[in-house]
Amino acid sequence: MGILSLSSSSLYRPQQPVSQLQRNQQLTAETSLQNTSKGGGIRGGGLKPIVVTGNPPTFVSAPGRRIIAVGDLHGDMSQTRSALEMAGVLSSDGRNTWTGGETVLVQLGDILDRGEDEIAILSLLRSLHIQAKAKGGAVFQVNGNHETMNVEGDFRYVDQGGFEECVDFLHHLENYGDNWDEAFVDWVSVSEQWKQDRKMNESYWGPWNILQKQKGVIARSTLLRPGGLLSRELARHPVTLKVDDWVFCHGGLLPHHVAYGVEKMNNKVSRWMRGPDENGDDDPELPFIATRGYDSVVWNRLYSGQTGDMEDYQARQIYTILQETLRALGGKAMVVGHTPQTEGINCKYGCSIWRVDVGMSSGVLNSRPEVLEIIDNEARMSSDLQGTGVSTRTKNYLFSCA
């Protein structure tokens, strides 16, 4: 493998993959994920097709499907695989095969930061989505605060291995010419070998090798700036998603978000991530209501705190706000990530809010993986009894930049 030059002119800047992604963004606002499976779903064959409205997806009709929700992954591929295998949607043979049939998988954001396999996880989920569509299922992601932070250029929480993966990934792209989709989907199958080769190389980045760290920052900035290839990949995903009667978002949706318009928010965040148009005349602004401030969709923690620390009137106020939000969207319950729950996946406020971030990444709490399963509009927790257990990390992490 070559060494990435510090010269910006040497960085990978293919034009065709970008235009392909632009064409993807211009697809019709309503698409149908056809059910071509003869079985594999919880009810067998014969389910109606999944219908997706919005680009990026905002409203999904998935009649009769089993829904799996997975919280924050933060660059930990091992824990990601454990969670997906436990959910019954990923093969355990390492071949990255979708085994969920007609299941709908929803990942709640924060794939980036704190780990070294961020792009590989994004690649895995894209591969699984392609396979799931052929079986009558689907894979959806919502963007979290760490996705939006990285597109802003905020790399404070990037693991050193995360910078290194960006350098490796740019070299990987060079082998695919203009075929971005193939290169991106294939990355999960080769990323581990790239990592091993890099660590065996004599020029492997040492803790004080400033030059190599600069190369990592340049590579990440190239991929994740607005208009960068990975930013355009993230632009495929919403910040808010409603699947049947269930609302999914990273931090939490509030009444003023719904009044603004959830599809409008999704479109604006996506447009910002895609960057200026081809002529450079349109430089979209970061959508504050969705991505900035304590009450934005990706940062809100109103529904994730411990109710035992609240006065009764405070809990009643939060419950009222939550119910107002759900009524405005016609939703039964909301599912959020963002704030690690040391007690595991749990629900509050009459189970109208489910908190599914268990801090499973080794860069967070290294907790036992858990997923939320929704069948026939009823939710239940499912945990891996073979998990690694909760680490001894301080709980002060919970209300820092989670």
Side-chain angles (χ1 to χ4, degrees):
M1 294 180 294
I3 301 300
L4 182 69
S5 167
L6 280 174
S7 169
S8 61
S9 63
S10 70
L11 295 175
Y12 182 75
R13 296 169 180 262
Q15 296 302 312
Q16 184 62 30
V18 173
S19 61
Q20 176 63 51
L21 289 175
Q22 287 173 333
R23 286 196 295 273
N24 289 345
Q25 291 293 336
Q26 294 167 355
L27 291 175
T28 179
E30 184 168 303
T31 60
S32 176
L33 305 178
Q34 297 300 322
N35 177 7
T36 59
S37 173
K38 295 293 185 181
I42 59 170
R43 301 172 185 276
L47 294 181
K48 294 181 179 179
I50 294 173
V51 177
V52 180
T53 303
N55 187 22
T58 301
F59 302 103
V60 177
S61 172
R65 264 66 173 192
R66 169 183 183 247
I67 302 171
I68 291 290
V70 180
D72 305 31
L73 300 175
H74 281 301
D76 191 326
M77 177 60 83
S78 176
Q79 294 284 70
T80 297
R81 289 188 183 280
S82 294
L84 298 181
E85 289 172 15
M86 177 182 59
V89 298
L90 176 67
S91 63
S92 58
D93 58 7
R95 295 184 178 180
N96 306 320
T97 303
W98 173 259
T99 58
E102 295 165 311
T103 296
V104 171
L105 171 67
V106 182
Q107 198 281 323
L108 271 295
D110 275 12
I111 291 172
L112 299 187
D113 290 343
R114 304 189 189 277
E116 62 179 1
D117 292 309
E118 306 156 286
I119 306 173
I121 294 172
L122 291 169
S123 171
L124 173 63
L125 291 177
R126 173 90 102 89
S127 174
L128 292 178
H129 177 57
I130 293 170
Q131 297 175 61
K133 285 176 65 176
K135 300 293 185 180
V139 176
F140 297 102
Q141 300 165 233
V142 299
N143 286 316
N145 61 305
H146 282 267
E147 280 73 47
T148 60
M149 287 167 64
N150 272 267
V151 178
E152 287 185 76
D154 185 344
F155 299 158
R156 285 176 293 166
Y157 300 93
V158 181
D159 184 87
Q160 178 175 320
F163 286 118
E164 295 168 350
E165 188 189 23
C166 288
V167 175
D168 288 347
F169 182 65
L170 280 177
H171 288 306
H172 165 77
L173 290 177
E174 294 171 358
N175 298 325
Y176 286 80
D178 291 340
N179 197 332
W180 160 260
D181 291 316
E182 183 181 355
F184 183 67
V185 170
D186 283 355
W187 177 243
V188 66
S189 64
V190 300
S191 61
E192 187 62 31
Q193 187 61 55
W194 277 83
K195 187 196 309 182
Q196 292 177 10
D197 291 346
R198 180 206 331 129
K199 290 184 176 181
M200 291 177 62
N201 193 299
E202 290 181 355
S203 63
Y204 174 62
W205 302 10
W208 302 107
N209 193 329
I210 303 301
L211 181 62
Q212 296 292 354
K213 286 188 175 181
Q214 288 177 332
K215 291 177 181 177
V217 172
I218 291 174
R220 195 173 187 92
S221 299
T222 299
L223 289 166
L224 281 163
R225 69 176 186 269
L229 291 174
L230 278 182
S231 289
R232 288 179 172 273
E233 187 66 30
L234 295 176
R236 298 161 58 97
H237 311 302
V239 292
T240 299
L241 180 74
K242 183 171 181 280
V243 182
D244 296 334
D245 296 329
W246 294 78
V247 179
F248 299 88
C249 55
H250 182 67
L253 211 61
L254 299 170
H256 74 278
H257 299 142
V258 182
Y260 181 83
V262 292
E263 189 167 10
K264 180 180 178 181
M265 278 195 302
N266 285 341
N267 290 339
K268 284 187 173 292
V269 174
S270 178
R271 183 68 192 87
W272 164 64
M273 288 182 167
R274 296 200 310 274
D277 60 24
E278 292 181 352
N279 299 321
D281 297 331
D282 180 16
D283 192 3
E285 295 182 356
L286 183 151
F288 192 94
I289 191 172
T291 63
R292 283 284 193 90
Y294 70 93
D295 64 346
S296 64
V297 177
V298 301
W299 282 100
N300 178 25
R301 298 185 194 273
L302 183 66
Y303 308 131
S304 298
Q306 298 300 317
T307 54
D309 299 331
M310 299 178 188
E311 298 290 342
D312 287 345
Y313 77 92
Q314 293 174 310
R316 287 195 298 270
Q317 287 177 333
I318 294 172
Y319 178 72
T320 299
I321 292 170
L322 176 58
Q323 289 302 309
E324 181 182 344
T325 305
L326 290 172
R327 279 196 301 271
L329 276 174
K332 169 187 173 70
M334 190 181 303
V335 184
V336 299
H338 189 41
T339 303
Q341 305 291 309
T342 55
E343 63 189 280
I345 291 177
N346 62 84
C347 67
K348 298 295 180 184
Y349 307 111
C351 283
S352 53
I353 187 77
W354 286 86
R355 293 96 70 92
V356 300
D357 177 13
V358 296
M360 72 176 78
S361 169
S362 59
V364 184
L365 298 177
N366 200 32
S367 300
R368 182 178 62 197
E370 297 184 21
V371 301
L372 183 71
E373 180 183 64
I374 303 168
I375 299 177
D376 291 333
N377 236 9
E378 298 296 328
R380 68 183 181 95
M381 292 86 73
S382 176
S383 60
D384 178 7
L385 299 180
Q386 304 298 317
T388 58
V390 179
S391 75
T392 56
R393 284 178 184 263
T394 174
K395 292 183 182 179
N396 290 338
Y397 169 84
L398 298 184
F399 291 96
S400 68
C401 182

